[in-house]
Amino acid sequence: MSEIVKFTIDGKECQGKKGQLIVDAAADNGVYIPVLCHMRDLIPAGSCRICTTKVNGRYMAACTTPVDEGTVVENDTPELLDIRKAIVEMLFVEGNHFCPSCEKSGNCDLQALGYKYQMMAPRFPYAFERRELEASTPKIFLEKNRCIFCKRCVRVIKDDQGRSVFAFKGRGKTLQINIDKKLAANLSDEMAKKAMDICPVGAILRKEVGFVEPIGTKKYDHKPIGSDLKNIYQ
Ligand code: FES
């Protein structure tokens, strides 16, 4: 049986399992720490850094840092909120995110975080990336310009033999998300839907079922991100 440890988040006394990741332990205690790349029970990627917190006085990603007895977490401070806002701004300028024309609008975690942190004009210059749209597979459009490199699709969408349908190609500025056309040819409707659902932005869209979800019924149409702690990781 896992050892139960006590820790605090912004002074609130919490309990969790020793070694449990801080984001998960926080959610179990009713505290929202934003995530983009993290999903519960998945090997952490620690790539987006939106979950940056202070753990025992040091800046740490809460999705890769385990709790221990007496851990002191700072989460909701003006400094950390501004760091997260800057990260959201960076993600927006790094890709091409045109929310009004994006099918994922209302279901997009990045957009919802933009609202949460009241992002207006980003403090960074736009990169104006132009990455090719990949539309040659039967069930999926891959809009690479919206990818935030969270690696969720790479870690989750696999074929029967455990081979990833999605993969990264390139490095640094040339890094892009790609789809294996052979594996994608056999993707079921269910897996295509899952790929779209786990993508925190609008980079993965299903073909032939565009805009089926009416405006007003989407995840963040009525409640801001972080309101439903049971479903923050989808
Ligand atoms: Fe922690 Fe992305 S959610 S680094």
Side-chain angles (χ1 to χ4, degrees), residues 35-114:
V35 298
L36 283 168
C37 67
H38 180 71
M39 290 180 79
R40 212 185 266 258
D41 300 329
L42 212 60
I43 295 171
S47 60
C48 74
R49 315 314 275 188
I50 196 71
C51 66
T52 299
T53 46
K54 266 189 173 174
V55 181
N56 298 331
R58 295 179 60 198
Y59 298 102
M60 304 292 278
C63 72
T64 58
T65 310
V67 280
D68 205 343
E69 182 66 34
T71 299
V72 175
V73 182
E74 290 169 62
N75 174 44
D76 204 359
T77 68
E79 182 201 19
L80 288 166
L81 297 183
D82 190 56
I83 287 173
R84 291 173 189 162
K85 183 177 180 180
I87 290 170
V88 171
E89 291 175 10
M90 260 186 258
L91 290 170
F92 263 91
V93 301
E94 192 275 337
N96 292 340
H97 300 275
F98 303 111
C99 299
S101 62
C102 179
E103 184 182 342
K104 204 72 183 274
S105 183
N107 280 333
C108 172
D109 292 352
L110 182 64
Q111 180 194 47
L113 287 171

Coordinates of all heavy atoms in Angstrom, one line a residue, residues 35-114:
V35 N -2.4 22.4 -16.9 CA -1.5 21.4 -17.7 C -1.9 21.6 -19.1 O -3.0 21.9 -19.5 CB -1.8 20.0 -17.2 CG1 -1.4 19.7 -15.8 CG2 -3.2 19.5 -17.5
L36 N -0.9 21.2 -20.0 CA -1.2 21.1 -21.4 C -0.7 19.7 -21.9 O -1.3 19.0 -22.6 CB -0.6 22.2 -22.2 CG -1.3 23.6 -22.1 CD1 -0.5 24.7 -22.7 CD2 -2.7 23.5 -22.9
C37 N 0.6 19.4 -21.5 CA 1.1 18.2 -22.0 C 0.8 17.0 -21.1 O 0.8 15.8 -21.5 CB 2.6 18.3 -22.2 SG 3.6 18.5 -20.7
H38 N 0.4 17.2 -19.9 CA 0.3 16.2 -18.9 C -1.1 15.4 -19.1 O -2.1 16.1 -19.4 CB 0.3 16.7 -17.5 CG 0.1 15.7 -16.4 ND1 1.1 14.7 -16.2 CD2 -0.9 15.4 -15.6 CE1 0.6 13.9 -15.2 NE2 -0.6 14.4 -14.8
M39 N -1.1 14.1 -18.9 CA -2.3 13.3 -18.8 C -2.0 12.3 -17.7 O -0.9 11.8 -17.6 CB -2.6 12.6 -20.1 CG -3.1 13.5 -21.2 SD -3.5 12.6 -22.7 CE -5.1 12.0 -22.2
R40 N -3.0 12.1 -16.8 CA -2.8 11.2 -15.7 C -2.5 9.8 -16.3 O -3.0 9.4 -17.3 CB -4.1 11.2 -14.9 CG -3.9 10.9 -13.4 CD -5.2 10.8 -12.7 NE -5.7 12.0 -12.2 CZ -5.6 12.3 -10.9 NH1 -5.1 11.4 -10.0 NH2 -6.1 13.4 -10.4
D41 N -1.6 9.1 -15.6 CA -1.2 7.7 -15.9 C -0.4 7.6 -17.2 O -0.2 6.5 -17.6 CB -2.4 6.8 -16.0 CG -3.2 6.7 -14.7 OD1 -2.5 6.9 -13.6 OD2 -4.4 6.6 -14.7
L42 N 0.1 8.7 -17.7 CA 0.9 8.7 -18.9 C 2.3 9.1 -18.4 O 2.5 9.9 -17.5 CB 0.4 9.7 -19.9 CG 0.6 9.4 -21.4 CD1 -0.2 8.1 -21.7 CD2 0.0 10.6 -22.2
I43 N 3.3 8.5 -19.1 CA 4.7 8.9 -18.7 C 4.8 10.4 -18.9 O 4.5 10.9 -20.0 CB 5.7 8.1 -19.5 CG1 5.7 6.6 -19.2 CG2 7.1 8.7 -19.3 CD1 6.5 5.8 -20.1
P44 N 5.2 11.2 -17.9 CA 5.3 12.6 -18.1 C 6.2 13.1 -19.2 O 7.3 12.5 -19.4 CB 5.8 13.1 -16.7 CG 5.6 12.0 -15.8 CD 5.7 10.7 -16.6
A45 N 5.8 14.1 -19.9 CA 6.7 14.7 -20.9 C 7.4 15.9 -20.4 O 8.5 16.2 -20.7 CB 5.9 15.0 -22.2
G46 N 6.7 16.7 -19.6 CA 7.3 17.9 -19.0 C 7.7 18.9 -20.1 O 8.7 19.6 -19.9
S47 N 6.9 19.0 -21.1 CA 7.4 19.8 -22.2 C 6.8 21.2 -22.3 O 7.4 22.1 -22.9 CB 7.1 19.0 -23.6 OG 5.7 18.8 -23.7
C48 N 5.6 21.4 -21.8 CA 5.0 22.7 -22.0 C 5.3 23.7 -20.9 O 5.3 24.9 -21.1 CB 3.5 22.6 -22.1 SG 2.6 22.2 -20.6
R49 N 5.6 23.3 -19.7 CA 6.0 24.1 -18.5 C 4.8 25.0 -18.0 O 5.1 25.8 -17.1 CB 7.2 24.9 -18.7 CG 8.4 24.2 -19.4 CD 8.7 22.9 -18.9 NE 9.6 22.9 -17.7 CZ 10.1 21.7 -17.2 NH1 9.8 20.6 -17.8 NH2 10.9 21.8 -16.2
I50 N 3.6 24.8 -18.5 CA 2.5 25.6 -18.0 C 2.2 25.3 -16.5 O 1.6 26.1 -15.8 CB 1.3 25.4 -18.8 CG1 0.3 26.6 -18.6 CG2 0.6 24.1 -18.6 CD1 0.6 27.9 -19.2
C51 N 2.6 24.1 -16.0 CA 2.4 23.7 -14.7 C 3.5 24.2 -13.7 O 3.6 23.7 -12.6 CB 2.3 22.2 -14.6 SG 3.8 21.4 -15.0
T52 N 4.3 25.1 -14.2 CA 5.4 25.6 -13.3 C 4.8 26.1 -12.0 O 3.9 26.9 -11.9 CB 6.1 26.8 -14.0 OG1 6.7 26.3 -15.2 CG2 7.2 27.3 -13.1
T53 N 5.4 25.6 -10.9 CA 5.1 25.9 -9.5 C 6.4 26.2 -8.8 O 7.5 25.9 -9.4 CB 4.3 24.8 -8.8 OG1 5.0 23.6 -9.1 CG2 2.9 24.7 -9.3
K54 N 6.3 26.6 -7.6 CA 7.5 26.6 -6.7 C 7.4 25.5 -5.8 O 6.4 25.4 -5.0 CB 7.7 28.0 -6.0 CG 8.6 28.9 -6.8 CD 8.8 30.1 -5.9 CE 9.9 31.0 -6.5 NZ 10.0 32.3 -5.7
V55 N 8.4 24.6 -5.8 CA 8.3 23.5 -4.9 C 9.5 23.6 -3.9 O 10.7 23.6 -4.4 CB 8.4 22.1 -5.7 CG1 8.4 20.9 -4.7 CG2 7.3 22.1 -6.7
N56 N 9.2 23.8 -2.6 CA 10.3 24.0 -1.6 C 11.2 25.2 -2.1 O 12.4 25.1 -2.0 CB 11.1 22.7 -1.4 CG 10.2 21.6 -0.8 OD1 9.2 21.9 -0.1 ND2 10.5 20.4 -1.1
G57 N 10.5 26.2 -2.7 CA 11.3 27.4 -3.1 C 11.9 27.4 -4.4 O 12.5 28.3 -4.8
R58 N 11.8 26.2 -5.1 CA 12.5 26.2 -6.5 C 11.4 26.0 -7.6 O 10.4 25.3 -7.4 CB 13.4 25.0 -6.5 CG 14.6 25.1 -5.6 CD 15.5 23.9 -5.7 NE 16.0 23.7 -7.1 CZ 16.5 22.5 -7.5 NH1 16.5 21.5 -6.7 NH2 17.0 22.5 -8.7
Y59 N 11.7 26.6 -8.7 CA 10.7 26.5 -9.8 C 10.8 25.0 -10.4 O 11.9 24.6 -10.7 CB 11.1 27.5 -11.0 CG 11.0 28.9 -10.6 CD1 12.2 29.6 -10.3 CD2 9.8 29.5 -10.4 CE1 12.1 30.9 -9.9 CE2 9.7 30.9 -10.0 CZ 10.9 31.5 -9.8 OH 10.8 32.9 -9.4
M60 N 9.6 24.4 -10.4 CA 9.6 23.0 -10.9 C 8.3 22.8 -11.7 O 7.3 23.5 -11.5 CB 9.5 22.0 -9.7 CG 10.6 22.2 -8.7 SD 12.2 21.7 -9.3 CE 12.2 19.9 -9.1
A61 N 8.4 21.8 -12.6 CA 7.2 21.4 -13.3 C 6.4 20.5 -12.4 O 6.9 19.4 -12.0 CB 7.6 20.7 -14.6
A62 N 5.2 20.9 -12.1 CA 4.4 20.1 -11.1 C 4.0 18.7 -11.7 O 3.6 17.8 -11.0 CB 3.2 20.8 -10.7
C63 N 4.1 18.5 -13.0 CA 3.7 17.3 -13.6 C 4.9 16.3 -13.7 O 4.7 15.1 -14.1 CB 3.2 17.5 -15.0 SG 4.4 17.9 -16.2
T64 N 6.1 16.7 -13.3 CA 7.2 15.8 -13.2 C 7.8 15.7 -11.8 O 8.7 14.9 -11.6 CB 8.3 16.2 -14.2 OG1 8.8 17.5 -13.8 CG2 7.9 16.2 -15.6
T65 N 7.2 16.4 -10.9 CA 7.8 16.4 -9.5 C 6.9 15.7 -8.6 O 5.7 16.0 -8.5 CB 8.0 17.9 -9.1 OG1 8.6 18.6 -10.1 CG2 8.8 18.0 -7.8
P66 N 7.4 14.7 -7.8 CA 6.6 14.0 -6.9 C 6.4 14.7 -5.6 O 7.2 15.5 -5.2 CB 7.3 12.7 -6.7 CG 8.8 13.0 -7.0 CD 8.8 14.2 -7.9
V67 N 5.3 14.4 -4.9 CA 5.1 14.9 -3.5 C 5.8 14.0 -2.5 O 6.0 12.8 -2.7 CB 3.6 15.0 -3.1 CG1 3.0 16.2 -3.7 CG2 2.9 13.7 -3.4
D68 N 6.2 14.6 -1.4 CA 6.8 13.9 -0.3 C 6.3 14.5 1.0 O 5.6 15.6 0.9 CB 8.3 14.1 -0.4 CG 9.0 12.9 0.2 OD1 8.4 12.2 1.1 OD2 10.2 12.7 0.0
E69 N 6.6 13.9 2.0 CA 6.1 14.5 3.3 C 6.7 15.9 3.5 O 7.9 16.1 3.3 CB 6.6 13.5 4.5 CG 6.2 13.9 5.9 CD 4.7 13.8 6.1 OE1 4.1 12.9 5.5 OE2 4.2 14.7 6.8
G70 N 5.8 16.8 3.8 CA 6.3 18.2 4.1 C 6.6 19.1 2.9 O 7.0 20.2 3.0
T71 N 6.3 18.5 1.7 CA 6.6 19.4 0.5 C 5.7 20.6 0.5 O 4.5 20.6 0.9 CB 6.2 18.6 -0.8 OG1 7.0 17.4 -0.9 CG2 6.4 19.4 -2.1
V72 N 6.4 21.8 0.2 CA 5.7 23.1 0.2 C 5.6 23.5 -1.2 O 6.6 23.7 -1.9 CB 6.4 24.1 1.1 CG1 5.8 25.5 1.0 CG2 6.5 23.6 2.5
V73 N 4.3 23.6 -1.7 CA 4.1 24.0 -3.1 C 3.5 25.4 -3.1 O 2.5 25.7 -2.4 CB 3.1 23.0 -3.8 CG1 2.9 23.4 -5.3 CG2 3.7 21.6 -3.7
E74 N 4.0 26.3 -4.0 CA 3.4 27.6 -4.2 C 2.8 27.5 -5.6 O 3.5 27.1 -6.6 CB 4.4 28.7 -4.2 CG 4.9 29.0 -2.8 CD 6.1 29.9 -2.9 OE1 6.0 31.1 -3.3 OE2 7.2 29.5 -2.4
N75 N 1.5 27.9 -5.8 CA 0.8 27.7 -7.0 C 0.2 28.9 -7.6 O 0.4 29.3 -8.7 CB -0.2 26.6 -6.9 CG -1.1 26.4 -8.1 OD1 -0.6 26.3 -9.2 ND2 -2.4 26.2 -7.8
D76 N -0.6 29.6 -6.7 CA -1.4 30.7 -7.1 C -0.8 32.0 -6.7 O -1.4 32.7 -5.8 CB -2.8 30.5 -6.5 CG -3.9 31.2 -7.3 OD1 -3.5 31.8 -8.3 OD2 -5.1 31.1 -7.0
T77 N 0.3 32.4 -7.2 CA 0.9 33.6 -6.8 C 1.1 34.5 -8.0 O 1.1 34.0 -9.1 CB 2.4 33.4 -6.2 OG1 3.2 32.9 -7.3 CG2 2.4 32.4 -5.1
P78 N 1.1 35.8 -7.8 CA 1.2 36.7 -9.0 C 2.3 36.4 -9.9 O 2.3 36.4 -11.1 CB 1.3 38.1 -8.4 CG 0.7 38.0 -7.0 CD 1.0 36.6 -6.6
E79 N 3.5 36.0 -9.3 CA 4.6 35.7 -10.1 C 4.4 34.5 -11.0 O 4.7 34.5 -12.2 CB 5.8 35.5 -9.1 CG 7.1 35.2 -9.9 CD 8.1 34.5 -9.0 OE1 7.8 33.9 -8.0 OE2 9.3 34.5 -9.4
L80 N 3.9 33.4 -10.4 CA 3.7 32.2 -11.1 C 2.6 32.4 -12.2 O 2.7 31.8 -13.3 CB 3.3 31.0 -10.2 CG 4.5 30.5 -9.3 CD1 4.0 29.7 -8.2 CD2 5.5 29.8 -10.2
L81 N 1.6 33.2 -11.8 CA 0.5 33.4 -12.8 C 1.0 34.2 -14.0 O 0.7 33.9 -15.2 CB -0.7 34.2 -12.2 CG -1.4 33.5 -11.0 CD1 -2.6 34.3 -10.5 CD2 -1.9 32.1 -11.4
D82 N 2.0 35.1 -13.8 CA 2.6 35.8 -14.9 C 3.5 34.9 -15.7 O 3.5 35.0 -17.0 CB 3.3 37.1 -14.4 CG 3.7 37.9 -15.6 OD1 2.8 38.3 -16.4 OD2 4.9 38.2 -15.8
I83 N 4.2 34.0 -15.1 CA 5.1 33.1 -15.8 C 4.2 32.2 -16.7 O 4.5 32.0 -17.9 CB 5.8 32.2 -14.8 CG1 7.0 32.9 -14.2 CG2 6.4 30.9 -15.5 CD1 7.7 32.2 -13.0
R84 N 3.0 31.8 -16.2 CA 2.1 30.9 -17.0 C 1.5 31.7 -18.2 O 1.4 31.2 -19.3 CB 1.0 30.3 -16.1 CG 1.6 29.3 -15.2 CD 0.6 28.9 -14.2 NE 1.1 28.0 -13.1 CZ 0.6 27.8 -12.0 NH1 -0.6 28.3 -11.7 NH2 1.2 27.0 -11.1
K85 N 1.2 33.0 -17.9 CA 0.6 33.8 -18.9 C 1.7 34.0 -20.0 O 1.4 33.9 -21.2 CB 0.2 35.2 -18.3 CG -0.4 36.1 -19.3 CD -0.8 37.4 -18.6 CE -1.5 38.3 -19.6 NZ -1.9 39.6 -18.9
A86 N 2.9 34.2 -19.6 CA 4.0 34.4 -20.6 C 4.2 33.1 -21.5 O 4.4 33.1 -22.7 CB 5.3 34.7 -19.9
I87 N 4.0 31.9 -20.8 CA 4.1 30.7 -21.6 C 3.0 30.5 -22.6 O 3.2 30.1 -23.7 CB 4.1 29.5 -20.6 CG1 5.5 29.5 -19.8 CG2 4.0 28.1 -21.3 CD1 5.5 28.5 -18.6
V88 N 1.8 30.9 -22.2 CA 0.7 30.9 -23.1 C 0.9 31.8 -24.3 O 0.7 31.5 -25.4 CB -0.7 31.2 -22.4 CG1 -1.8 31.4 -23.4 CG2 -1.0 30.2 -21.4
E89 N 1.4 33.0 -24.0 CA 1.7 33.9 -25.0 C 2.8 33.4 -26.0 O 2.7 33.5 -27.2 CB 2.2 35.3 -24.4 CG 1.1 36.0 -23.7 CD 1.6 37.2 -23.0 OE1 2.8 37.6 -23.2 OE2 0.9 37.8 -22.2
M90 N 3.8 32.7 -25.4 CA 4.9 32.1 -26.2 C 4.3 31.1 -27.2 O 4.6 31.0 -28.3 CB 5.9 31.5 -25.3 CG 7.2 32.3 -25.1 SD 8.4 31.4 -24.2 CE 8.2 32.1 -22.6
L91 N 3.4 30.3 -26.6 CA 2.8 29.2 -27.5 C 2.0 29.8 -28.6 O 1.9 29.3 -29.7 CB 2.0 28.2 -26.6 CG 2.8 27.4 -25.6 CD1 1.9 26.7 -24.6 CD2 3.7 26.4 -26.4
F92 N 1.3 30.9 -28.3 CA 0.5 31.5 -29.3 C 1.3 32.1 -30.4 O 1.0 31.9 -31.6 CB -0.4 32.6 -28.7 CG -1.8 32.2 -28.4 CD1 -2.1 31.6 -27.2 CD2 -2.8 32.2 -29.4 CE1 -3.4 31.2 -26.9 CE2 -4.1 31.8 -29.1 CZ -4.4 31.3 -27.9
V93 N 2.4 32.8 -30.1 CA 3.2 33.4 -31.1 C 4.0 32.4 -31.9 O 4.4 32.7 -33.1 CB 4.1 34.6 -30.6 CG1 3.3 35.6 -29.9 CG2 5.2 34.0 -29.7
E94 N 4.3 31.3 -31.3 CA 5.2 30.3 -32.0 C 4.4 29.6 -33.1 O 5.0 29.1 -34.0 CB 5.7 29.3 -30.9 CG 6.8 28.4 -31.4 CD 6.3 27.2 -32.0 OE1 5.1 26.8 -31.8 OE2 7.0 26.6 -32.8
G95 N 3.1 29.4 -33.0 CA 2.3 28.8 -34.0 C 1.4 29.8 -34.6 O 1.5 31.0 -34.4
N96 N 0.5 29.3 -35.5 CA -0.5 30.2 -36.0 C -1.9 29.7 -35.5 O -2.4 28.7 -36.0 CB -0.5 30.1 -37.6 CG 0.8 30.7 -38.1 OD1 1.4 31.4 -37.5 ND2 1.1 30.3 -39.3
H97 N -2.4 30.4 -34.5 CA -3.6 30.1 -33.9 C -4.7 31.1 -34.2 O -4.7 32.2 -33.6 CB -3.4 30.0 -32.4 CG -2.4 29.0 -32.0 ND1 -2.7 27.6 -31.8 CD2 -1.0 29.1 -31.8 CE1 -1.6 27.0 -31.5 NE2 -0.5 27.8 -31.5
F98 N -5.6 30.7 -35.1 CA -6.7 31.6 -35.5 C -8.0 31.0 -34.9 O -8.7 30.3 -35.6 CB -6.8 31.7 -37.0 CG -5.5 32.1 -37.7 CD1 -4.7 31.3 -38.5 CD2 -5.0 33.4 -37.5 CE1 -3.5 31.7 -39.0 CE2 -3.8 33.8 -38.1 CZ -3.1 33.0 -38.8
C99 N -8.2 31.3 -33.7 CA -9.3 30.7 -32.9 C -10.6 30.9 -33.6 O -11.4 29.9 -33.7 CB -9.4 31.3 -31.5 SG -7.9 31.0 -30.5
P100 N -11.0 32.0 -34.2 CA -12.4 32.1 -34.7 C -12.7 31.1 -35.8 O -13.8 30.8 -36.1 CB -12.4 33.6 -35.2 CG -11.4 34.3 -34.5 CD -10.3 33.3 -34.2
S101 N -11.6 30.7 -36.5 CA -11.9 29.7 -37.6 C -11.5 28.3 -37.3 O -11.6 27.4 -38.1 CB -11.1 30.2 -38.9 OG -9.7 30.1 -38.6
C102 N -11.1 28.1 -36.0 CA -10.7 26.7 -35.7 C -11.8 25.9 -35.1 O -12.5 26.4 -34.2 CB -9.5 26.8 -34.6 SG -8.9 25.2 -34.1
E103 N -12.0 24.7 -35.6 CA -13.0 23.8 -35.1 C -12.9 23.5 -33.6 O -13.9 23.3 -32.9 CB -13.0 22.5 -35.9 CG -14.1 21.5 -35.5 CD -14.0 20.2 -36.2 OE1 -13.3 20.1 -37.2 OE2 -14.6 19.3 -35.8
K104 N -11.7 23.6 -33.1 CA -11.5 23.2 -31.7 C -11.8 24.4 -30.7 O -11.8 24.2 -29.5 CB -10.0 22.8 -31.5 CG -9.7 21.9 -30.3 CD -10.2 20.5 -30.5 CE -9.9 19.6 -29.3 NZ -8.6 19.0 -29.2
S105 N -12.1 25.5 -31.3 CA -12.5 26.7 -30.4 C -13.6 26.3 -29.5 O -14.6 25.8 -29.8 CB -12.9 27.8 -31.3 OG -13.2 29.0 -30.6
G106 N -13.4 26.6 -28.2 CA -14.4 26.2 -27.2 C -14.0 24.9 -26.5 O -14.4 24.7 -25.3
N107 N -13.2 24.1 -27.2 CA -12.7 22.8 -26.6 C -11.2 22.9 -26.5 O -10.6 21.8 -26.2 CB -13.1 21.6 -27.5 CG -14.5 21.2 -27.3 OD1 -15.1 21.4 -26.2 ND2 -15.1 20.6 -28.3
C108 N -10.6 24.0 -26.8 CA -9.2 24.1 -26.8 C -8.6 24.6 -25.5 O -9.0 25.6 -25.0 CB -8.8 25.1 -27.9 SG -7.0 25.5 -28.0
D109 N -7.7 23.8 -25.0 CA -7.1 24.1 -23.7 C -6.2 25.4 -23.8 O -6.1 26.2 -22.8 CB -6.2 22.9 -23.1 CG -7.1 21.8 -22.8 OD1 -8.4 21.9 -22.8 OD2 -6.6 20.7 -22.5
L110 N -5.5 25.5 -24.9 CA -4.6 26.7 -25.0 C -5.5 28.0 -25.1 O -5.2 29.0 -24.4 CB -3.8 26.6 -26.3 CG -2.8 27.7 -26.5 CD1 -1.7 27.8 -25.4 CD2 -2.1 27.6 -27.8
Q111 N -6.5 27.9 -25.8 CA -7.4 29.1 -25.9 C -8.0 29.4 -24.5 O -8.1 30.5 -24.1 CB -8.6 28.8 -26.9 CG -9.6 29.9 -27.1 CD -10.8 29.4 -27.8 OE1 -11.4 28.4 -27.5 NE2 -11.3 30.2 -28.8
A112 N -8.5 28.3 -23.8 CA -9.1 28.5 -22.5 C -8.1 29.1 -21.5 O -8.4 29.9 -20.7 CB -9.6 27.2 -22.0
L113 N -6.8 28.7 -21.7 CA -5.8 29.3 -20.8 C -5.5 30.8 -21.2 O -5.2 31.6 -20.3 CB -4.5 28.5 -20.8 CG -4.6 27.1 -20.1 CD1 -3.3 26.3 -20.3 CD2 -4.8 27.3 -18.6
G114 N -5.6 31.1 -22.5 CA -5.5 32.5 -22.9 C -6.6 33.3 -22.2 O -6.3 34.4 -21.7

